């Protein structure tokens, strides 16, 4: 059944392609809500069947009536608010869609969601989202042919296009630098050769290794989050290696690791961090040098970071110089802490500029053992570049996937209309999303090596 009232919470970069997809059904009535009305109005500009409202989701007295007035709510706000939205939806018996991982806070609401008879559909973006669609597809095909998936490797990266990776970090920010940086410091767990491996966040980036995906790129990869449950969720109990992780250009993890080692990623408030300090003076205070001259600072940086080679040392110290961290320029302090101060600085220097493209790169690698003992390596690869005159690759891949899944739920597809907390881990859910997504030009290339 289509032609429903849809409430979209959030006005970030993924919201517009999601809303635009849903407006293709002229019966849909879409309300876009965010705290600032003008931002919501700008997002819906030129889109039929839409309206904008101002809404503070942290206030239940404001959120509850809006959720109750709609048939479905798409939560594109930070994941920490999803549980609040779902609680409101349970009271109103309104379905919910998110692009985020199922958190413990959401999972704890499953019984209440089932009792209310609502669907809370999650992980329908890029990663998570599109990654699930093709993992489930290939694993299912291998099992149908009597094969076993002995190893599963999956790496994804949201990156600047190669020509735009033109700064020492080799990275650009399309959202909060703070969040992007901290996401690189998540702890990780995965299965390797039949054993669970746990990596603390402060050691993760030092484990990044060169990883070949396709010609023309120099990627490194490292594990991210907890891959262990995917052995069960993807129905591959036979797999002795299961790892999901992140792709970055060579050099990015080492640079972030150096900033971490030097204390720049400390979110604790510092009484001494004042507006009248220069970047060199902050650096001096953080790493404990006698003075703020560049030579003194550089010598101490080398002592702390213990770079793997002279070339690595030269590259990262040159990069810090490029970012002005040894300069006598007055720093703009944010949040009273080093992380927010650095994040604001990076946002000014290495955010995407008009006309620049991003890149989404995703690859699954399956090592398959067939009944006759033969072994093959199968790959599924997405190389998606943003449109400088349209949507970024990340916005399109997340937003359109979310829009497709939402419409399938609204249309009454039986696989989607199962009360409770669900994610696309089954063929019946993944296949219709994947088929519609391929119709939008987003398709992984599958090969046997």
């Amino acid at each position: 059944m289509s032609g429903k009232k849809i409430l979209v919470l959030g006005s970030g970069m993924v919201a517009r392609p999601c809303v635009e997809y849903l407006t293709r059904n002229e019966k849909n009535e879409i309300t876009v809500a965010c705290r600032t009305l003008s931002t919501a109005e700008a997002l819906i500009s030129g889109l039929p069947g839409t309206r904008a409202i101002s809404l503070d989701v942290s206030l239940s007295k404001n959120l509850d009536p809006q959720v109750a007035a709609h048939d479905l709510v798409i939560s594109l706000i930070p994941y920490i608010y999803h549980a609040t939205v779902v609680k409101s939806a349970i009271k109103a018996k309104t379905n919910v869609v998110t692009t985020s991982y199922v958190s413990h806070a959401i999972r704890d609401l499953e019984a209440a969601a089932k009792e209310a008879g609502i669907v809370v559909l999650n992980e329908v973006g890029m990663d998570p989202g599109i990654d699930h669609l093709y993992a489930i597809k290939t694993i299912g095909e291998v099992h149908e042919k009597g094969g076993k998936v002995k190893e599963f490797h999956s790496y994804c990266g949201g990156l600047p296009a190669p020509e735009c990776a033109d700064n020492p970090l080799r990275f650009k920010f399309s959202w909060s630098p703070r969040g992007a940086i901290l996401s690189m410091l998540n702890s990780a767990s995965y299965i390797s050769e039949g054993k669970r491996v746990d990596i603390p966040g402060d050691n993760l980036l030092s484990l990044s290794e060169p990883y070949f995906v396709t010609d023309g790129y120099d990627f490194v990869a490292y594990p991210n989050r907890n891959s262990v449950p995917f052995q069960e969720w993807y129905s591959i109990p036979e797999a002795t290696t299961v790892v999901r992780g992140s792709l970055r250009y060579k050099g990015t993890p080492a640079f972030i690791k150096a900033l971490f080692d030097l204390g720049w990623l400390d979110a604790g408030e510092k009484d001494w961090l004042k507006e009248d300090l220069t970047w060199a003076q902050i650096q001096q205070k953080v790493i404990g040098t006698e003075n703020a001259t560049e030579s003194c600072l550089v010598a101490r940086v080398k002592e702390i970071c213990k770079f793997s080679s002279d070339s690595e040392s030269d590259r990262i110290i040159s990069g810090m110089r490029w970012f002005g961290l040894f300069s006598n320029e007055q720093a703009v302090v944010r949040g009273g802490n080093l992380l927010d101060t650095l994040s604001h600085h990076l946002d000014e220097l290495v955010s995407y500029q008009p006309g620049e493209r991003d890149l989404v790169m995703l690859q699954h690698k399956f090592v398959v053992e067939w009944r006759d003992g033969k072994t093959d390596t199968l790959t599924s690869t997405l190389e998606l570049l943003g449109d400088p005159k349209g949507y970024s690759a990340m916005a399109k891949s997340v937003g359109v996937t979310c829009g497709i899944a939402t419409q399938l739920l609204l249309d009454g597809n039986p696989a989607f209309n199962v009360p409770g907390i669900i994610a696309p881990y089954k063929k019946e859910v993944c296949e219709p999303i994947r088929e519609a997504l391929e119709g939008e030009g987003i398709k992984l290339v599958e090969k046997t090596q």
Side-chain angles (χ1 to χ4, degrees):
M1 184 182 299
S2 59
K4 297 288 189 174
K5 293 182 178 180
I6 306 163
L7 175 63
V8 179
L9 301 177
S11 57
M13 65 175 186
V14 305
R16 170 108 183 173
C18 176
V19 172
E20 185 174 33
Y21 182 88
L22 291 168
T23 62
R24 297 182 193 178
N25 185 326
E26 61 185 17
K27 295 180 181 180
N28 286 340
E29 300 176 27
I30 305 166
T31 302
V32 174
C34 71
R35 186 170 296 185
T36 306
L37 179 60
S38 60
T39 304
E41 290 174 334
L43 186 144
I44 65 170
S45 177
L47 296 180
T50 61
R51 70 184 185 104
I53 64 170
S54 173
L55 181 63
D56 184 348
V57 299
S58 65
L59 299 175
S60 59
K61 66 178 182 180
N62 296 338
L63 178 64
D64 288 353
Q66 290 297 334
V67 170
H70 293 81
D71 300 295
L72 181 145
V73 55
I74 302 174
S75 185
L76 299 177
I77 52 181
Y79 77 94
I80 58 173
Y81 296 108
H82 290 337
T84 298
V85 174
V86 173
K87 289 175 183 177
S88 179
I90 288 169
K91 289 186 284 186
K93 300 187 185 304
T94 300
N95 291 331
V96 180
V97 176
T98 86
T99 61
S100 303
Y101 284 103
V102 178
S103 65
H104 293 300
I106 295 296
R107 183 63 69 195
D108 289 344
L109 297 171
E110 179 153 31
K114 287 181 176 179
E115 185 177 350
I118 70 166
V119 177
V120 182
L121 174 61
N122 306 271
E123 303 186 25
V124 286
M126 172 60 224
D127 176 7
I130 295 175
D131 54 347
H132 298 329
L133 310 182
Y134 283 84
I136 295 300
K137 176 180 183 292
T138 299
I139 290 167
E141 290 170 348
V142 169
H143 286 168
E144 286 173 6
K145 295 175 183 177
K148 296 179 179 180
V149 177
K150 302 301 290 183
E151 297 180 25
F152 174 74
H153 306 257
S154 177
Y155 291 97
C156 183
L159 305 156
E163 74 275 9
C164 299
D166 53 2
N167 64 72
L169 194 55
R170 302 198 70 197
F171 194 80
K172 288 194 173 176
F173 300 99
S174 57
W175 57 299
S176 159
R178 187 186 206 274
I181 291 170
L182 291 179
S183 72
M184 299 183 202
L185 300 174
N186 289 322
S187 60
S189 299
Y190 58 97
I191 300 171
S192 178
E193 298 180 348
K195 297 180 180 179
R196 177 181 175 126
V197 180
D198 297 303
I199 308 296
D202 58 2
N203 194 40
L204 186 64
L205 295 179
S206 63
L207 299 179
S208 63
E209 295 182 347
Y211 193 85
F212 178 79
V213 176
T214 188
D215 291 334
Y217 296 97
D218 58 344
F219 292 127
V220 294
Y222 55 91
N224 188 23
R225 299 180 181 267
N226 187 2
S227 304
V228 175
F230 286 90
Q231 185 182 48
E232 176 186 350
W233 294 340
Y234 283 174
S235 299
I236 45 174
E238 71 273 23
T240 57
T241 294
V242 178
V243 58
R244 302 170 81 249
S246 298
L247 290 174
R248 293 289 181 262
Y249 289 126
K250 181 181 178 181
T252 301
F255 204 111
I256 296 295
K257 179 67 165 57
L259 293 173
F260 175 83
D261 290 342
L262 294 171
W264 279 106
L265 307 188
D266 185 353
E269 190 169 342
K270 309 295 182 188
D271 292 339
W272 55 264
L273 190 57
K274 305 297 182 183
E275 289 286 353
D276 58 350
L277 294 175
T278 67
W279 289 105
Q281 288 170 330
I282 295 175
Q283 185 81 271
Q284 176 192 6
K285 184 75 173 179
V286 173
I287 63 179
T289 58
E290 292 181 2
N291 59 62
T293 61
E294 181 172 316
S295 60
C296 190
L297 295 173
V298 167
R300 181 61 176 149
V301 167
K302 290 181 178 180
E303 288 179 8
I304 293 173
C305 293
K306 298 179 174 60
F307 296 114
S308 60
S309 65
D310 289 342
S311 61
E312 183 85 331
S313 173
D314 291 344
R315 182 184 69 82
I316 293 178
I317 288 173
S318 176
M320 291 180 177
R321 188 178 294 116
W322 189 92
F323 284 118
L325 299 184
F326 305 133
S327 76
N328 291 319
E329 177 185 346
Q330 185 172 321
V332 178
V333 175
R334 287 287 185 270
N337 66 73
L338 293 164
L339 175 59
D340 286 330
T341 298
L342 178 65
S343 296
H344 174 76
H345 190 54
L346 293 179
D347 194 31
E348 295 287 315
L349 293 176
V350 290
S351 290
Y352 284 95
Q353 300 301 308
E356 292 187 331
R357 302 188 299 173
D358 71 326
L359 165 72
V360 169
M361 184 70 78
L362 165 67
Q363 186 180 77
H364 295 322
K365 184 182 294 182
F366 312 82
V367 177
V368 176
E369 183 182 279
W370 301 106
R371 283 177 175 170
D372 61 3
K374 179 186 175 184
T375 299
D376 281 329
T377 298
L378 315 180
T379 59
S380 302
T381 307
L382 175 67
E383 180 184 11
L384 183 66
L385 286 159
D387 179 358
K389 297 181 180 179
Y391 296 129
S392 70
M394 187 61 72
K396 181 178 180 180
S397 57
V398 176
V400 173
T401 305
C402 181
I404 288 169
T406 298
Q407 194 62 61
L408 287 164
L409 175 56
L410 290 170
D411 288 344
N413 185 299
F416 290 76
N417 284 268
V418 179
I421 311 298
I422 64 173
Y425 299 153
K426 297 184 181 298
K427 177 181 178 180
E428 296 77 15
V429 175
C430 291
E431 197 166 78
I433 302 176
R434 179 178 53 78
E435 290 174 349
L437 200 58
E438 290 178 356
E440 301 297 318
I442 301 175
K443 181 179 181 179
L444 273 65
V445 176
E446 298 170 298
K447 293 183 179 180
T448 300
Q449 298 179 353

